[in-house]
């Protein structure tokens, strides 16, 4: 699975369509597909994460930049695999936008949800 520059650009374009649905202005600035290794006892596994850098502009507050780490292991192979189609990227955009929305709405009171985000500024 790979997120090519063309796929990344198209996914960002699709995510722009969801900006008006968020409770505050949130814009996806960058996307990167990464692999992380986890060790559980004697077993080592590798999972795919989509790193999503967002900017948040709230009224009467300084702009904020965050990076969200979305576990995309189950979806990445299907949506970013060889021969990915427009429908696959639209599905990926829907999943990412739903995760962004849930993270923003729940980060103040759900520890697990807050943990996917790290504030950069």
């Amino acid at each position: 699975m790979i997120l090519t520059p063309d796929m990344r650009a198209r996914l960002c374009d699709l995510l722009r369509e969801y900006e008006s649905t968020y409770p505050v202005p949130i814009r996806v600035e960058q996307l990167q597909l990464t692999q992380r290794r986890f060790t559980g006892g004697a077993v080592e596994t590798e999972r795919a994460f989509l790193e999503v850098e967002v900017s948040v502009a709230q009224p009467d507050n300084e702009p904020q930049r965050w990076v969200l780490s979305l576990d995309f292991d189950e979806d990445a192979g299907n949506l970013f695999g060889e021969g990915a189609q427009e429908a696959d990227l639209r599905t990926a955009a829907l999943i990412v936008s739903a995760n962004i929305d849930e993270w923003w709405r729940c980060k103040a009171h759900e520890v697990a949800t807050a943990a996917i985000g790290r504030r950069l500024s």
Side-chain angles (χ1 to χ4, degrees):
M1 78 198 102
I2 187 167
L3 187 59
T4 66
D6 287 342
M7 290 169 67
R8 182 180 296 117
R10 181 62 184 136
L11 186 54
C12 281
D13 288 344
L14 291 168
L15 286 165
R16 300 256 187 277
E17 296 174 15
Y18 288 97
E19 289 178 0
S20 65
T21 66
Y22 302 134
V24 297
I26 298 175
R27 172 163 282 224
V28 172
E29 302 292 347
Q30 293 183 38
L31 297 166
Q32 181 177 350
L33 192 60
T34 62
Q35 299 289 323
R36 292 192 195 152
R37 293 189 177 173
F38 297 92
T39 304
V43 178
E44 186 174 286
T45 59
E46 189 170 272
R47 297 189 63 81
F49 283 80
L50 188 62
E51 304 288 332
V52 182
E53 188 174 321
V54 298
S55 58
V56 180
Q58 295 182 76
D60 302 323
N61 288 321
E62 291 291 317
Q64 301 174 9
R65 291 186 70 87
W66 293 79
V67 64
L68 310 180
S69 269
L70 306 179
D71 186 342
F72 231 67
D73 198 63
E74 293 176 19
D75 301 310
N78 295 327
L79 301 175
F80 301 139
E82 239 179 89
Q85 302 294 315
E86 176 73 10
D88 299 320
L89 294 177
R90 287 190 175 280
T91 299
L94 179 63
I95 293 168
V96 171
S97 68
N99 276 275
I100 291 170
D101 186 64
E102 179 183 17
W103 163 77
W104 184 260
R105 291 176 190 271
C106 300
K107 68 182 176 59
H109 56 273
E110 289 183 13
V111 175
T113 301
I116 70 167
R118 179 175 48 89
R119 189 167 177 181
L120 302 174
S121 68

